[in-house]
Amino acid sequence: PVSPPTNACLPPYSSLPTCSSHLSLSSHPHLNIAAAVAGRLVLFWVLLGSFCLREAAAMKLITKEISKDGGRVALVPEDAEDLWTVYNLISVGDSVRTTTIRKVASESMTGSVSSEKLRIQLTIKVENVDFDAQTPMIRLKGKNIVENEFVKLGAYHTLELETNRKFTLAKPGWDSVASELVERACDQTLKADLAAVVMQEGLAYVCLITSSMTLTRQRVEVSIPRKQGAAAMGRDKAIHKFYDQVIRAIQTHIDFSVVKCLLVASPGFVKDGFMQHLKEQGQKQDLKGVLEHLPKFVACHCSAGHKHALKEVLSDPAVAARLENTKAASENKALMDFFQMLNNQPERTAYGEAHVKRACNIGAIDTLMISDNLFRAPEPAVRQKYVELVETVKDGGGRALIFSTMHVTGEQLQKLSGLAAILRFPMPEEEEEAAAQEEEDEGDDSGDDWDLIAELLSPGK
């Protein structure tokens, strides 16, 4: 709420003439002032409304001059998801230029030394990349490669990339994976719009699910007395307290101008009790910000109230129907199809580098699933190997999905070595044997992962 501006020229509201006085505004200067103030307030609320109703912004692309032989892009990340994309984009050996703070020492004519912090532009050749998901922030360590008045050539410096801070990235060569990352990050239509509350009695996780990561915004925990015993009298009160805290967490962390669907998942009837409490409290407390978005709430079942239960929630057909236009849903469907195929026709699946590579060589891959951390290898040759794998699959008419290790689906794929594929046709026996032998020679234990597969396929995981 905005309080009326104070002004010595304004009389009390009760002394202002009413419309029934039939007096013109020009004859009453106080009315002119009041009208001007009212007009500014209306303009303020219109601007505020347009700001709050805008959709999630894509990463800003300032300039783009790239090719396979090199080039550069200038970008401005808008949120944590954009920073995660940048983290996957920057490799050791790349050059990054941005604004930074540097402590500079200077000596006066009398010989005294003083230091001050200056904001300067620095360009470094990246030697180490670190992503801080809590801040969020990317830290880049490397040597200065452009002559600067305050920093010597070859001096080490750590650059920090944050949201809404422009930077320029130059690469010696832009492969198809890096180019696609830039295109997808700057595409407004590909922003995620999904949130979830996974709960059980006394425990809830409020999460935001983007195309690249699952972010836990708040963990709510309240002690709930058992149904039997003397403490049972306070059970209903404790449950209502728990529900109220979950509602406050939703109000704090869920922006319904961006989020198009909010999943409420739990075992048993916890979700039903919460939805009933939400409706009752919404009417009592006039929670318009929540009540008007009730159609976006989707109640669904899960086996536990922990974050890992999102895997089975996202695989629910009813939920998938609501999420059919999101990248997270397409990745989840591909992973579920892989597990189903592994159960019914294991000969039409491949996982582990050796098996997937053999399947690619004979053009058998229909869907390739690959973890993004494989592209963060410090050795350029290793990254190029996976880039060529993705390009070969696409050239053969298949599709390649890059899974984020910050997303629940990416965590599941990572347990399968970060590389899996659904095949168009079974691999010949000699190819299977050769791949198995190659894995054994390399010490790859993915062939002995059937206990892990059983764990991933179990509904409680």
Side-chain angles (χ1 to χ4, degrees), residues 227-250:
K227 294 182 179 180
Q228 295 83 18
M233 295 180 61
R235 177 178 171 81
D236 290 343
K237 184 178 180 180
I239 290 177
H240 289 165
K241 177 183 177 182
F242 168 62
Y243 288 160
D244 288 338
Q245 291 190 18
V246 175
I247 292 174
R248 284 195 292 271
I250 291 174

PDB file of all heavy atoms in Angstrom, residues 227-250:
ATOM      1  N   LYS A 227      -1.085 -39.764  16.458  1.00  0.00           N
ATOM      2  CA  LYS A 227      -2.549 -39.816  16.582  1.00  0.00           C
ATOM      3  C   LYS A 227      -2.981 -40.356  17.937  1.00  0.00           C
ATOM      4  O   LYS A 227      -4.102 -40.121  18.372  1.00  0.00           O
ATOM      5  CB  LYS A 227      -3.137 -40.684  15.465  1.00  0.00           C
ATOM      6  CG  LYS A 227      -2.940 -40.108  14.069  1.00  0.00           C
ATOM      7  CD  LYS A 227      -3.597 -40.997  13.031  1.00  0.00           C
ATOM      8  CE  LYS A 227      -3.407 -40.398  11.627  1.00  0.00           C
ATOM      9  NZ  LYS A 227      -4.026 -41.241  10.575  1.00  0.00           N
ATOM     10  N   GLN A 228      -2.111 -41.153  18.595  1.00  0.00           N
ATOM     11  CA  GLN A 228      -2.460 -41.714  19.900  1.00  0.00           C
ATOM     12  C   GLN A 228      -1.701 -40.969  21.003  1.00  0.00           C
ATOM     13  O   GLN A 228      -0.711 -40.305  20.760  1.00  0.00           O
ATOM     14  CB  GLN A 228      -2.112 -43.205  19.968  1.00  0.00           C
ATOM     15  CG  GLN A 228      -2.928 -44.083  19.011  1.00  0.00           C
ATOM     16  CD  GLN A 228      -2.370 -44.111  17.606  1.00  0.00           C
ATOM     17  OE1 GLN A 228      -1.223 -43.761  17.406  1.00  0.00           O
ATOM     18  NE2 GLN A 228      -3.195 -44.505  16.651  1.00  0.00           N
ATOM     19  N   GLY A 229      -2.184 -41.126  22.204  1.00  0.00           N
ATOM     20  CA  GLY A 229      -1.500 -40.564  23.358  1.00  0.00           C
ATOM     21  C   GLY A 229      -2.016 -39.198  23.746  1.00  0.00           C
ATOM     22  O   GLY A 229      -2.912 -38.621  23.111  1.00  0.00           O
ATOM     23  N   ALA A 230      -1.417 -38.647  24.820  1.00  0.00           N
ATOM     24  CA  ALA A 230      -1.877 -37.366  25.355  1.00  0.00           C
ATOM     25  C   ALA A 230      -1.614 -36.217  24.397  1.00  0.00           C
ATOM     26  O   ALA A 230      -2.357 -35.231  24.363  1.00  0.00           O
ATOM     27  CB  ALA A 230      -1.176 -37.094  26.689  1.00  0.00           C
ATOM     28  N   ALA A 231      -0.527 -36.332  23.604  1.00  0.00           N
ATOM     29  CA  ALA A 231      -0.182 -35.237  22.698  1.00  0.00           C
ATOM     30  C   ALA A 231      -1.120 -35.141  21.507  1.00  0.00           C
ATOM     31  O   ALA A 231      -1.083 -34.164  20.761  1.00  0.00           O
ATOM     32  CB  ALA A 231       1.254 -35.411  22.195  1.00  0.00           C
ATOM     33  N   ALA A 232      -1.991 -36.148  21.326  1.00  0.00           N
ATOM     34  CA  ALA A 232      -2.872 -36.160  20.160  1.00  0.00           C
ATOM     35  C   ALA A 232      -3.833 -34.979  20.144  1.00  0.00           C
ATOM     36  O   ALA A 232      -4.352 -34.605  19.086  1.00  0.00           O
ATOM     37  CB  ALA A 232      -3.660 -37.473  20.111  1.00  0.00           C
ATOM     38  N   MET A 233      -4.086 -34.381  21.314  1.00  0.00           N
ATOM     39  CA  MET A 233      -5.029 -33.258  21.376  1.00  0.00           C
ATOM     40  C   MET A 233      -4.523 -32.058  20.576  1.00  0.00           C
ATOM     41  O   MET A 233      -5.309 -31.292  20.046  1.00  0.00           O
ATOM     42  CB  MET A 233      -5.255 -32.853  22.842  1.00  0.00           C
ATOM     43  CG  MET A 233      -5.932 -33.936  23.669  1.00  0.00           C
ATOM     44  SD  MET A 233      -6.198 -33.425  25.384  1.00  0.00           S
ATOM     45  CE  MET A 233      -7.267 -32.018  25.140  1.00  0.00           C
ATOM     46  N   GLY A 234      -3.210 -31.887  20.481  1.00  0.00           N
ATOM     47  CA  GLY A 234      -2.669 -30.759  19.738  1.00  0.00           C
ATOM     48  C   GLY A 234      -2.308 -31.089  18.298  1.00  0.00           C
ATOM     49  O   GLY A 234      -1.668 -30.269  17.627  1.00  0.00           O
ATOM     50  N   ARG A 235      -2.729 -32.262  17.828  1.00  0.00           N
ATOM     51  CA  ARG A 235      -2.353 -32.701  16.482  1.00  0.00           C
ATOM     52  C   ARG A 235      -2.947 -31.794  15.393  1.00  0.00           C
ATOM     53  O   ARG A 235      -2.244 -31.345  14.491  1.00  0.00           O
ATOM     54  CB  ARG A 235      -2.799 -34.150  16.265  1.00  0.00           C
ATOM     55  CG  ARG A 235      -2.527 -34.678  14.864  1.00  0.00           C
ATOM     56  CD  ARG A 235      -2.947 -36.134  14.742  1.00  0.00           C
ATOM     57  NE  ARG A 235      -2.879 -36.554  13.364  1.00  0.00           N
ATOM     58  CZ  ARG A 235      -1.769 -36.925  12.737  1.00  0.00           C
ATOM     59  NH1 ARG A 235      -0.615 -36.897  13.385  1.00  0.00           N
ATOM     60  NH2 ARG A 235      -1.794 -37.298  11.483  1.00  0.00           N
ATOM     61  N   ASP A 236      -4.255 -31.518  15.498  1.00  0.00           N
ATOM     62  CA  ASP A 236      -4.903 -30.688  14.473  1.00  0.00           C
ATOM     63  C   ASP A 236      -4.300 -29.287  14.428  1.00  0.00           C
ATOM     64  O   ASP A 236      -4.090 -28.725  13.345  1.00  0.00           O
ATOM     65  CB  ASP A 236      -6.407 -30.597  14.746  1.00  0.00           C
ATOM     66  CG  ASP A 236      -7.123 -31.918  14.500  1.00  0.00           C
ATOM     67  OD1 ASP A 236      -6.514 -32.779  13.812  1.00  0.00           O
ATOM     68  OD2 ASP A 236      -8.239 -32.084  14.987  1.00  0.00           O
ATOM     69  N   LYS A 237      -4.005 -28.742  15.586  1.00  0.00           N
ATOM     70  CA  LYS A 237      -3.400 -27.409  15.641  1.00  0.00           C
ATOM     71  C   LYS A 237      -2.033 -27.405  14.982  1.00  0.00           C
ATOM     72  O   LYS A 237      -1.676 -26.472  14.244  1.00  0.00           O
ATOM     73  CB  LYS A 237      -3.303 -26.953  17.103  1.00  0.00           C
ATOM     74  CG  LYS A 237      -2.771 -25.538  17.266  1.00  0.00           C
ATOM     75  CD  LYS A 237      -2.755 -25.129  18.742  1.00  0.00           C
ATOM     76  CE  LYS A 237      -2.224 -23.704  18.900  1.00  0.00           C
ATOM     77  NZ  LYS A 237      -2.197 -23.303  20.348  1.00  0.00           N
ATOM     78  N   ALA A 238      -1.252 -28.453  15.223  1.00  0.00           N
ATOM     79  CA  ALA A 238       0.080 -28.542  14.631  1.00  0.00           C
ATOM     80  C   ALA A 238       0.005 -28.689  13.114  1.00  0.00           C
ATOM     81  O   ALA A 238       0.803 -28.093  12.377  1.00  0.00           O
ATOM     82  CB  ALA A 238       0.850 -29.714  15.238  1.00  0.00           C
ATOM     83  N   ILE A 239      -0.957 -29.478  12.641  1.00  0.00           N
ATOM     84  CA  ILE A 239      -1.114 -29.660  11.197  1.00  0.00           C
ATOM     85  C   ILE A 239      -1.505 -28.347  10.524  1.00  0.00           C
ATOM     86  O   ILE A 239      -0.987 -27.999   9.464  1.00  0.00           O
ATOM     87  CB  ILE A 239      -2.166 -30.763  10.906  1.00  0.00           C
ATOM     88  CG1 ILE A 239      -1.604 -32.133  11.307  1.00  0.00           C
ATOM     89  CG2 ILE A 239      -2.552 -30.761   9.431  1.00  0.00           C
ATOM     90  CD1 ILE A 239      -2.585 -33.274  11.127  1.00  0.00           C
ATOM     91  N   HIS A 240      -2.421 -27.603  11.152  1.00  0.00           N
ATOM     92  CA  HIS A 240      -2.826 -26.313  10.600  1.00  0.00           C
ATOM     93  C   HIS A 240      -1.655 -25.331  10.587  1.00  0.00           C
ATOM     94  O   HIS A 240      -1.501 -24.541   9.642  1.00  0.00           O
ATOM     95  CB  HIS A 240      -3.997 -25.734  11.403  1.00  0.00           C
ATOM     96  CG  HIS A 240      -5.268 -26.478  11.189  1.00  0.00           C
ATOM     97  ND1 HIS A 240      -6.374 -26.336  12.016  1.00  0.00           N
ATOM     98  CD2 HIS A 240      -5.625 -27.391  10.249  1.00  0.00           C
ATOM     99  CE1 HIS A 240      -7.345 -27.114  11.583  1.00  0.00           C
ATOM    100  NE2 HIS A 240      -6.916 -27.782  10.519  1.00  0.00           N
ATOM    101  N   LYS A 241      -0.816 -25.385  11.628  1.00  0.00           N
ATOM    102  CA  LYS A 241       0.373 -24.536  11.665  1.00  0.00           C
ATOM    103  C   LYS A 241       1.317 -24.894  10.524  1.00  0.00           C
ATOM    104  O   LYS A 241       1.883 -24.015   9.858  1.00  0.00           O
ATOM    105  CB  LYS A 241       1.078 -24.702  13.010  1.00  0.00           C
ATOM    106  CG  LYS A 241       2.377 -23.912  13.135  1.00  0.00           C
ATOM    107  CD  LYS A 241       3.068 -24.190  14.471  1.00  0.00           C
ATOM    108  CE  LYS A 241       4.399 -23.453  14.554  1.00  0.00           C
ATOM    109  NZ  LYS A 241       5.107 -23.766  15.840  1.00  0.00           N
ATOM    110  N   PHE A 242       1.474 -26.180  10.268  1.00  0.00           N
ATOM    111  CA  PHE A 242       2.319 -26.639   9.167  1.00  0.00           C
ATOM    112  C   PHE A 242       1.775 -26.149   7.829  1.00  0.00           C
ATOM    113  O   PHE A 242       2.517 -25.614   6.986  1.00  0.00           O
ATOM    114  CB  PHE A 242       2.382 -28.173   9.198  1.00  0.00           C
ATOM    115  CG  PHE A 242       2.983 -28.799   7.982  1.00  0.00           C
ATOM    116  CD1 PHE A 242       4.301 -28.540   7.616  1.00  0.00           C
ATOM    117  CD2 PHE A 242       2.229 -29.655   7.176  1.00  0.00           C
ATOM    118  CE1 PHE A 242       4.865 -29.116   6.488  1.00  0.00           C
ATOM    119  CE2 PHE A 242       2.781 -30.237   6.054  1.00  0.00           C
ATOM    120  CZ  PHE A 242       4.102 -29.975   5.705  1.00  0.00           C
ATOM    121  N   TYR A 243       0.473 -26.301   7.609  1.00  0.00           N
ATOM    122  CA  TYR A 243      -0.141 -25.841   6.361  1.00  0.00           C
ATOM    123  C   TYR A 243       0.037 -24.330   6.183  1.00  0.00           C
ATOM    124  O   TYR A 243       0.307 -23.855   5.063  1.00  0.00           O
ATOM    125  CB  TYR A 243      -1.627 -26.197   6.342  1.00  0.00           C
ATOM    126  CG  TYR A 243      -1.920 -27.670   6.161  1.00  0.00           C
ATOM    127  CD1 TYR A 243      -3.162 -28.204   6.530  1.00  0.00           C
ATOM    128  CD2 TYR A 243      -0.980 -28.529   5.626  1.00  0.00           C
ATOM    129  CE1 TYR A 243      -3.447 -29.553   6.360  1.00  0.00           C
ATOM    130  CE2 TYR A 243      -1.254 -29.886   5.468  1.00  0.00           C
ATOM    131  CZ  TYR A 243      -2.498 -30.386   5.839  1.00  0.00           C
ATOM    132  OH  TYR A 243      -2.770 -31.717   5.664  1.00  0.00           O
ATOM    133  N   ASP A 244      -0.117 -23.567   7.281  1.00  0.00           N
ATOM    134  CA  ASP A 244       0.038 -22.111   7.197  1.00  0.00           C
ATOM    135  C   ASP A 244       1.456 -21.726   6.778  1.00  0.00           C
ATOM    136  O   ASP A 244       1.655 -20.792   5.990  1.00  0.00           O
ATOM    137  CB  ASP A 244      -0.298 -21.470   8.550  1.00  0.00           C
ATOM    138  CG  ASP A 244      -1.785 -21.497   8.871  1.00  0.00           C
ATOM    139  OD1 ASP A 244      -2.583 -21.608   7.916  1.00  0.00           O
ATOM    140  OD2 ASP A 244      -2.145 -21.416  10.064  1.00  0.00           O
ATOM    141  N   GLN A 245       2.441 -22.430   7.304  1.00  0.00           N
ATOM    142  CA  GLN A 245       3.825 -22.133   6.937  1.00  0.00           C
ATOM    143  C   GLN A 245       4.089 -22.454   5.466  1.00  0.00           C
ATOM    144  O   GLN A 245       4.838 -21.746   4.796  1.00  0.00           O
ATOM    145  CB  GLN A 245       4.794 -22.906   7.836  1.00  0.00           C
ATOM    146  CG  GLN A 245       4.807 -22.414   9.272  1.00  0.00           C
ATOM    147  CD  GLN A 245       5.945 -23.023  10.080  1.00  0.00           C
ATOM    148  OE1 GLN A 245       6.911 -23.544   9.533  1.00  0.00           O
ATOM    149  NE2 GLN A 245       5.833 -22.945  11.402  1.00  0.00           N
ATOM    150  N   VAL A 246       3.477 -23.518   4.971  1.00  0.00           N
ATOM    151  CA  VAL A 246       3.630 -23.857   3.549  1.00  0.00           C
ATOM    152  C   VAL A 246       2.992 -22.778   2.676  1.00  0.00           C
ATOM    153  O   VAL A 246       3.549 -22.373   1.647  1.00  0.00           O
ATOM    154  CB  VAL A 246       3.015 -25.241   3.242  1.00  0.00           C
ATOM    155  CG1 VAL A 246       3.063 -25.524   1.736  1.00  0.00           C
ATOM    156  CG2 VAL A 246       3.766 -26.335   3.997  1.00  0.00           C
ATOM    157  N   ILE A 247       1.822 -22.287   3.087  1.00  0.00           N
ATOM    158  CA  ILE A 247       1.149 -21.214   2.340  1.00  0.00           C
ATOM    159  C   ILE A 247       2.037 -19.971   2.293  1.00  0.00           C
ATOM    160  O   ILE A 247       2.187 -19.338   1.240  1.00  0.00           O
ATOM    161  CB  ILE A 247      -0.223 -20.893   2.973  1.00  0.00           C
ATOM    162  CG1 ILE A 247      -1.186 -22.065   2.791  1.00  0.00           C
ATOM    163  CG2 ILE A 247      -0.818 -19.628   2.334  1.00  0.00           C
ATOM    164  CD1 ILE A 247      -2.510 -21.897   3.510  1.00  0.00           C
ATOM    165  N   ARG A 248       2.630 -19.605   3.432  1.00  0.00           N
ATOM    166  CA  ARG A 248       3.518 -18.429   3.457  1.00  0.00           C
ATOM    167  C   ARG A 248       4.741 -18.639   2.561  1.00  0.00           C
ATOM    168  O   ARG A 248       5.203 -17.699   1.898  1.00  0.00           O
ATOM    169  CB  ARG A 248       3.941 -18.132   4.897  1.00  0.00           C
ATOM    170  CG  ARG A 248       2.856 -17.475   5.736  1.00  0.00           C
ATOM    171  CD  ARG A 248       3.425 -16.883   7.010  1.00  0.00           C
ATOM    172  NE  ARG A 248       3.898 -17.908   7.931  1.00  0.00           N
ATOM    173  CZ  ARG A 248       3.117 -18.491   8.855  1.00  0.00           C
ATOM    174  NH1 ARG A 248       1.834 -18.137   8.957  1.00  0.00           N
ATOM    175  NH2 ARG A 248       3.610 -19.405   9.660  1.00  0.00           N
ATOM    176  N   ALA A 249       5.255 -19.858   2.530  1.00  0.00           N
ATOM    177  CA  ALA A 249       6.402 -20.152   1.659  1.00  0.00           C
ATOM    178  C   ALA A 249       6.023 -20.000   0.193  1.00  0.00           C
ATOM    179  O   ALA A 249       6.803 -19.484  -0.618  1.00  0.00           O
ATOM    180  CB  ALA A 249       6.916 -21.563   1.931  1.00  0.00           C
ATOM    181  N   ILE A 250       4.815 -20.433  -0.161  1.00  0.00           N
ATOM    182  CA  ILE A 250       4.340 -20.278  -1.543  1.00  0.00           C
ATOM    183  C   ILE A 250       4.200 -18.803  -1.886  1.00  0.00           C
ATOM    184  O   ILE A 250       4.618 -18.358  -2.968  1.00  0.00           O
ATOM    185  CB  ILE A 250       2.992 -21.019  -1.723  1.00  0.00           C
ATOM    186  CG1 ILE A 250       3.201 -22.534  -1.639  1.00  0.00           C
ATOM    187  CG2 ILE A 250       2.340 -20.639  -3.058  1.00  0.00           C
ATOM    188  CD1 ILE A 250       1.908 -23.334  -1.669  1.00  0.00           C
TER     189      ILE A 250
END
